[in-house]
Every structure is written in C-alpha cells, then in structure tokens.
C-alpha cells in the first residue's frame, strides 16, 4: 500500500490530521485534497490502494482504527462491510438526487459509468467494439485491458454489469469466459486507460472518468458506450466506525457533497454529480442516450465471494 501525503499549511481552525483510504489515482487526489485543505486548514494523509485491500486493511484495524474516511470506492464493497462504517447524515443530504440515495451507512460521492476506452491509432472507428460480446472477437486476443476483479472495485462492478446484461447463469458466465480469454489483467483500474493510451492494449474496460482524463489530455483514445448496455451507479464514501478524527471526517464528507466541490468533480475530473442542482459535463454523453441496465448493489455485495471465486477459476484455467 503506497502512501501519498499532500499537505498544505495548517490554519488555526485545523483540528488534527484527516486520514483517507481511497482508490483514486493521483490526478484525482491532488485537486480534491488541495481544495479541502485550503477550505478547512486540515492536513490530509491519503493512503491509496485497491478496493479489496482497503477493506481488508480497515477490517484488520477495526479494534484500533487508523482511517477516518473511506473515499471513492465501490458501493457494493461498502454495502457488504457496513459493520465497519459509522452512519452519518451530511449537512446537505436533502440535495442528494433520489437515484443515488442510500439507506446504508455509506454515502454516494459521485456517479460513475462503465465504458470502453479504445486506442484511436490502433483502431479505426468502424473497428471499435460496439458491445461487450465484441470483446471476445479473436482480433482482440490479449489486447483487452481489465483490472483484477478481486482487487479493483470498478472491475468487480464491470463483471456485475456484464452479468446483469447476460445473466448470472451458466450462459452468462460462458459469455464472460469468452471475453476473458482476450483479457490482459491490469495491475489496477487506473492502469487500464494508461495501457490503452500507451498502445499496450487496444481496448480497456474502465470507468468513464478514468477514460475522460486521457481524452481531456489529448491522448489517442476515445470513449465507447456499449450498445448492449452499461451501468450508472454511485461510488461511495463512508465514515469509519470509531474513526480517530471523526470531526474532520464529517467535515470532509460535507465538503465533498457541497455544490462547489461537486462542480469541481464534474468540470475538472469528468465524473457525474450526485446533487439535484448539478449538471453533468457537456462533453459526456447524456444518460438518456444510453442503454442502462439495473445494477443491484445488494446482490453484488452478497455474491462477492462467489463471483471472486469464479474469477479465480478463470485466472487459474489459463
């Protein structure tokens, strides 16, 4: 687990240090942490790791917590580990859009969408994969980048999205196995669009905002929205039970859901907002122009052990 500390001078209002455990890459960390530190004077220590590793770490530390807030992580992982979380009602809870509200201990942070990212130097537009099943075509052998489902919350979400489209049954898993035969498993979800950008893969299965950062940066990449369907859900954040600096943790959650911060998330980072009064980035395709499938967070939480075991079987069968 790597630790990235982004510190700003403390003000008189600062009360200790806030510790965040999160999965987001540095491009996300810097503007968000800098913004919070400037707004509050509270120093932030960010511990970055894969989603599974973060949950394992919080559970291992449960008797003596080191973390205040779990930040930007798959909702189903938080749902499955509610016992580690402390319920908190943010100041502007009423502004959370109905589609993203939750009755659990975790809170929505941003809206996330699963997409393909393609290398425009390696593929012509007519060669882009249009559906999830297109990823199984022989021409993509070892050229599809996907993160490790066990370690990456977004990769686990992508597996669940596939099964929501094609069925959590023998047929659905058979179809996923065909796609998996072309997959080069990436070290992390953040590495997926980088591999595509650098030409090490020609297609990546990733989050829309991860792909957008490379599009915004002028990389040779394009975003493809699967015609057979995709999922749009909230990623989450949560106050850790018995957090050492719960006051700072609550301040971070309130700040994250504020209108200015949600605007930053949209304009600078390409995420979709969860506030009723916020508008998504104009450069991204409107949700009403996509085929969206229902993502069952509770089912994804309950089936995690089973799905990860099947993923291991696929990895070991190679």
């Amino acid at each position: 687990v790597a630790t990235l500390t982004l510190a700003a001078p403390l003000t008189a209002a600062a009360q200790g240090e806030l510790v965040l455990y999160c999965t987001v890459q540095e491009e996300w960390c810097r503007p968000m942490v800098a913004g919070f530190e400037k707004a509050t004077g509270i120093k932030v220590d960010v511990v970055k790791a894969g989603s599974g590793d973060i949950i394992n770490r919080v559970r291992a530390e449960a008797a003596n917590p080191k973390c205040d807030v779990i930040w930007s992580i798959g909702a189903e992982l938080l749902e499955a580990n509610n016992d580690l979380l402390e319920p908190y009602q943010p100041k502007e809870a009423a502004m959370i859009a109905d589609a993203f509200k939750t009755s659990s201990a975790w809170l929505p942070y941003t809206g996330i969408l699963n997409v393909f990212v393609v290398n425009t130097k390696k593929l012509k537009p007519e060669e882009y994969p249009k559906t999830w099943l297109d990823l199984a075509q022989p021409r993509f052998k070892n050229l599809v980048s996907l993160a490790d489902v066990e370690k990456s919350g977004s990769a686990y979400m992508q597996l669940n999205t596939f099964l929501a489209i094609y069925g959590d049954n023998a047929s659905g898993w058979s179809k996923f196995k065909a796609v998996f035969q072309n997959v080069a498993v990436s070290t992390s979800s953040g590495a997926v669009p980088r591999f595509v950008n650098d030409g090490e893969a020609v297609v990546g299965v990733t989050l829309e905002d991860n792909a957008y950062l490379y599009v915004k940066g002028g990389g040779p990449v394009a975003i493809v929205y699967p015609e057979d369907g995709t999922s749009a859900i909230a990623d989450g954040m949560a106050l850790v039970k018995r957090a050492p600096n719960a006051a700072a943790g609550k301040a971070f959650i309130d700040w994250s859901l504020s209108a200015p911060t949600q605007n930053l998330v949209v304009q600078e980072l390409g995420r979709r907002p969860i506030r009723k009064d916020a508008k998504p980035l104009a450069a991204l395709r409107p949700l009403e122009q996509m085929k969206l499938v229902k993502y069952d967070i509770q089912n994804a939480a309950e089936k995690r052990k089973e799905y990860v075991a099947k993923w291991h079987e696929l990895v070991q069968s190679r």
Side-chain angles (χ1 to χ4, degrees), residues 89-240:
Q89 180 82 349
K91 291 181 179 179
E92 296 189 76
M95 294 306 299
I96 298 174
D98 291 343
F100 296 121
K101 286 183 177 179
T102 170
S103 59
S104 298
W106 62 275
L107 292 156
Y109 171 51
T110 57
I112 51 178
L113 199 70
N114 292 292
V115 302
F116 304 152
V117 58
V118 297
N119 185 297
T120 57
K121 290 184 177 180
K122 302 286 186 178
L123 296 175
K124 299 175 182 178
E126 60 270 22
E127 297 173 325
Y128 294 172
K130 295 182 174 60
T131 69
W132 293 86
L133 294 185
D134 283 350
L135 301 179
Q137 294 177 2
R139 63 195 177 101
F140 293 131
K141 183 68 175 179
N142 295 325
L143 295 176
V144 177
S145 184
L146 174 69
D148 189 333
V149 164
E150 182 176 13
K151 296 180 179 295
S152 166
S154 57
Y156 183 69
M157 190 188 315
Q158 288 143 18
L159 169 61
N160 275 271
T161 298
F162 186 97
L163 296 176
I165 297 169
Y166 290 104
D168 178 14
N169 49 40
S171 177
W173 277 99
S174 178
K175 290 180 174 66
F176 182 77
K177 182 178 180 179
V179 170
F180 182 78
Q181 298 308 310
N182 287 345
V183 167
V185 179
S186 300
T187 53
S188 70
S189 57
V192 170
R194 174 165 52 83
F195 287 149
V196 176
N197 183 80
D198 295 346
E200 296 179 50
V202 299
V203 182
V205 183
T206 188
L207 299 181
E208 181 184 49
D209 60 283
N210 285 347
Y212 174 73
L213 288 177
Y214 287 87
V215 172
K216 181 182 178 183
V221 298
I223 297 173
V224 175
Y225 297 93
E227 293 179 1
D228 47 349
T230 191
S231 58
I233 66 170
D235 71 336
M237 59 181 172
L239 187 68
V240 173

Side-chain angles (χ1 to χ4, degrees), residues 6 20 24-39 44 46 71 109-110 252 255-257 260-266 268-269:
L6 305 171
L20 301 177
V24 294
Q25 61 261 47
E26 190 171 338
E27 290 85 349
W28 264 85
C29 284
R30 290 195 179 279
M32 297 300 291
V33 169
F36 177 72
E37 289 182 332
K38 182 177 180 180
V44 180
V46 181
W71 177 40
Y109 171 51
T110 57
F252 179 81
W255 176 84
S256 296
L257 296 178
T261 303
Q262 287 284 304
N263 185 64
L264 171 67
V265 164
V266 171
E268 296 298 324
L269 304 174

Side-chain angles (χ1 to χ4, degrees), residues 39-121:
T40 65
I42 299 173
K43 181 182 177 182
V44 180
D45 185 39
V46 181
V47 178
K48 287 167 45 57
S51 300
D53 291 334
I54 283 176
I55 293 297
N56 290 339
R57 180 166 178 159
V58 172
R59 187 164 293 284
E61 296 170 348
N64 185 25
K66 309 297 184 185
C67 168
D68 300 304
V69 173
I70 299 173
W71 177 40
S72 198
I73 192 171
E76 67 284 332
L77 263 178
L78 294 174
E79 186 76 27
N81 293 277
N82 257 309
D83 61 306
L84 299 175
L85 313 178
E86 186 70 36
Y88 174 61
Q89 180 82 349
K91 291 181 179 179
E92 296 189 76
M95 294 306 299
I96 298 174
D98 291 343
F100 296 121
K101 286 183 177 179
T102 170
S103 59
S104 298
W106 62 275
L107 292 156
Y109 171 51
T110 57
I112 51 178
L113 199 70
N114 292 292
V115 302
F116 304 152
V117 58
V118 297
N119 185 297
T120 57
K121 290 184 177 180

